[in-house]
Amino acid sequence: MNYRAAFWFPIGLLAALAGLSLWLQYAVQAPSTGGPGGSKHIADYIVENFHATRTDITGKTENTLSAHKTQHFLDDDTTELEAPDFTAFDKQGGSVNIRSARGYVSSKGDVIIFTGKVVLVRDLHDAQGPLTLTTDYLKVIPKQHLMLTNRPALIQGKNIVIHAGALQMNSQTRELLLTHHVKTHYEPNH
């Protein structure tokens, strides 16, 4: 009987160690996030001090986008931006600059979402002077020159303060459409 116990003890010990190591492997692995495929939302590349410039066919700058840190995600082909800074230039020589805490670029690069404390400054280089807009969410469609939000926004300009529940702005035509509980305070020049 001693012979059998001496034979089975090491085999039992090895089986227990194999089971323990298998259990440890599953216990330590992070649970899968994502859909049925089990893909994880993990950055496939990270770029610090990112800067990109889009030009028209003649080489004139249409807009620039920079960020302290950029992360691209392979599972949904989106890009996250830390402290993004976007500037769009119009044909009249003016510009619109947008800064926020965070930003997201769609998979096709046709939409940029700014979140956190969003500050937009429209510099018209004319008698109206600069216009500053603050909100916590702004959607930008660069090819259409559109900037929109469905969240409360504060617009401040020369002699004017406007509160709006939503807005749409075209950076080329300089049109600003305000909706939802718009309140304006205007003080004319004397």
Side-chain angles (χ1 to χ4, degrees), residues 24-45:
L24 244 132
Q25 178 182 354
Y26 287 109
V28 172
Q29 284 182 342
S32 174
T33 58
S39 63
K40 296 178 184 178
H41 195 63
I42 298 174
D44 61 337
Y45 65 84

Side-chain angles (χ1 to χ4, degrees), residues 57-95:
I57 197 160
T58 65
K60 187 175 180 182
T61 301
E62 288 184 343
N63 58 58
T64 63
L65 176 64
S66 60
H68 291 302
K69 185 176 179 182
T70 304
Q71 297 184 77
H72 179 265
F73 296 92
L74 190 60
D75 64 329
D76 60 0
D77 196 26
T78 58
T79 304
E80 267 185 31
L81 307 169
E82 183 181 301
D85 186 335
F86 176 80
T87 303
F89 300 95
D90 65 29
K91 295 175 183 174
Q92 295 82 15
S95 64

Side-chain angles (χ1 to χ4, degrees), residues 4 15 27 36 39 42 46 60 70 85 87 90 93 101 104 109-110 114 117 123 129 131 170 183-184 186 189:
R4 283 186 176 173
S39 63
I42 298 174
I46 298 170
K60 187 175 180 182
T70 304
D85 186 335
T87 303
D90 65 29
Y104 305 89
D110 55 349
F114 295 88
K117 184 179 179 188
D123 184 9
L131 187 73
N170 185 305
K183 295 179 184 175
T184 304
Y186 177 73
N189 285 337

Side-chain angles (χ1 to χ4, degrees), residues 155-172:
I155 301 110
Q156 296 174 303
K158 187 177 181 181
N159 306 327
I160 193 164
V161 176
I162 304 169
H163 295 271
L167 66 86
Q168 179 175 320
M169 177 187 208
N170 185 305
S171 63
Q172 286 296 320

